Amino acid sequence: MLKLNHIKKDYIIDKETVHILEDVNLNINEGEFVSILGTSGCGKSTLLKIIIGLERATDGYISFENNDNNRIGMIFQEARLIPWKNVEENIEFGVDTGIDKKRKKAIVREQLNIVGLADYARAKPSQLSGGMQQRVSIARALAGEPKVLLLDEPFGALDAFTRISMQKEVLRLWETQKKTMILVTHDIDEAIFLSDRIIILSDHPGVIKREIKVDLSRPRDRSSYDFTVIRKEIYREFFEESDINIEYYI
Ligand SMILES: Nc1ncnc2c1ncn2[C@@H]1O[C@H](COP(=O)(O)OP(=O)(O)OP(=O)(O)O)[C@@H](O)[C@H]1O
Ligand SMILES: [Mg+2]
């Protein structure tokens, strides 16, 4: 449904051209859950911004099936809510402008229920916990009825417990709403827990180093043998050229 063709991105930093992404080719199928892993600064956010059209690729192009480029939503690392608007109004902000008032209200109500915040419709963002704020930002993205949802480190700022419950939440949304999801994360277990496929980007420049298919049934058990095998394989990719013996760390 979505195809990245020879995506290249250069930035000019202090008059020097820096190659951020180099010939990234990727085919994403409808309904697929794909995660992108890579070290900090390798170009993951840049890649998502190019997909959604916030940044322009230096070379290469993205092709969408059925004009689905109009149906993309993005969830950022921080909730990015409008502080003076309440939960309901923040979610309404994500609904297409052409939609009439009554339908708009219905979409907002539905999203509030989906993310479990119906009782907080009138609360201001500052009255919510970090996890609840992030749920509002998920609802706002879903309110645009996207077919493709891009998630850029959406749980990075959350504590470990909230993070796990948000992972469960995203999995439930993916299973019930049949969306295509592309998740950028630093969390290897999160990627294995959620994805059909994991893409590992190298840095300087960012190229696809490895693709790993995760053929485990869901929900996945993080302590199972099969899970551990994939975890080790991914750690090995990151530490192959270092003197760190991963056997001691995982
Ligand atoms: N607008 C910009 N102008 C110039 N350079 C930029 C710009 N945005 C990003 N970069 C550079 O591009 C590189 C990749 O940035 P990007 O934000 O995509 O990294 P990332 O993989 O998402 O990192 P992190 O995991 O830390 O979020 C960085 O070296 C950064 O300095
Ligand atoms: Mg980033």
Side-chain angles (χ1 to χ4, degrees):
M1 87 167 316
L2 165 61
K3 199 168 175 197
L4 312 190
N5 305 281
H6 308 290
I7 296 293
K8 176 179 163 73
K9 180 70 183 173
D10 294 340
Y11 276 124
I12 313 271
I13 301 175
D14 198 19
K15 294 183 192 151
E16 294 269 340
T17 302
V18 185
H19 304 299
I20 306 294
L21 296 168
E22 197 67 60
D23 200 25
V24 174
N25 293 288
L26 188 59
N27 249 330
I28 293 173
N29 302 316
E30 187 162 0
E32 196 177 13
F33 200 126
V34 174
S35 287
I36 301 173
L37 278 174
T39 52
S40 179
C42 77
K44 304 178 296 297
S45 297
T46 304
L47 192 60
L48 289 193
K49 285 181 197 157
I50 291 172
I51 295 174
I52 201 169
L54 289 171
E55 285 280 353
R56 194 187 287 266
T58 307
D59 209 348
Y61 62 99
I62 301 193
S63 33
F64 290 88
E65 254 172 39
N66 316 320
N67 270 340
D68 282 343
N69 49 329
N70 299 324
R71 299 252 69 103
I72 308 188
M74 183 150 168
I75 297 169
F76 298 89
Q77 184 156 1
E78 339 74 56
R80 297 192 182 193
L81 304 177
I82 306 167
W84 57 88
K85 288 191 184 279
N86 66 28
V87 166
E88 196 165 60
E89 292 161 342
N90 266 287
I91 297 173
E92 198 177 309
F93 198 73
V95 185
D96 282 355
T97 41
I99 289 177
D100 70 74
K101 238 185 151 63
K102 209 169 145 203
R103 170 96 185 102
K104 225 179 210 176
K105 288 275 170 233
I107 293 174
V108 171
R109 211 168 21 245
E110 186 190 344
Q111 293 311 327
L112 274 170
N113 286 327
I114 287 175
V115 297
L117 288 173
D119 293 341
Y120 291 87
R122 300 286 152 85
K124 293 277 166 57
S126 61
Q127 296 169 314
L128 305 176
S129 72
M132 289 158 90
Q133 290 181 24
Q134 199 51 293
R135 266 149 58 198
V136 178
S137 81
I138 292 175
R140 180 184 53 194
L142 292 174
E145 302 185 320
K147 282 191 167 175
V148 183
L149 197 56
L150 310 180
L151 304 105
D152 190 0
E153 269 285 320
F155 317 131
L158 304 178
D159 66 86
F161 311 109
T162 315
R163 195 176 176 113
I164 282 181
S165 68
M166 294 301 289
Q167 289 167 0
K168 226 177 118 207
E169 186 73 24
V170 163
L171 196 58
R172 190 179 61 79
L173 288 172
W174 176 73
E175 280 170 344
T176 54
Q177 309 218 342
K178 313 263 176 262
K179 299 210 183 291
T180 306
M181 295 206 180
I182 308 177
L183 168 77
V184 159
T185 179
H186 289 124
D187 185 331
I188 290 173
D189 277 19
E190 180 170 282
I192 307 170
F193 183 72
L194 294 171
S195 323
D196 294 316
R197 190 153 51 113
I198 298 172
I199 310 293
I200 301 178
L201 280 185
S202 64
D203 53 4
H204 300 105
V207 291
I208 296 181
K209 194 176 172 203
R210 179 91 194 270
E211 282 197 28
I212 294 177
K213 259 193 159 318
V214 186
D215 265 331
L216 306 177
S217 60
R218 295 181 174 89
R220 294 171 177 162
D221 175 356
R222 292 163 211 249
S223 58
S224 70
Y225 175 75
D226 293 340
F227 200 108
T228 315
V229 168
I230 298 174
R231 182 190 292 128
K232 278 201 175 166
E233 204 173 328
I234 296 174
Y235 271 94
R236 246 178 239 124
E237 282 295 332
F238 283 100
F239 290 104
E240 64 184 356
E241 280 153 26
S242 84
D243 56 1
I244 294 173
N245 184 348
I246 57 157
E247 305 300 327
Y248 294 134
Y249 293 88
I250 53 173

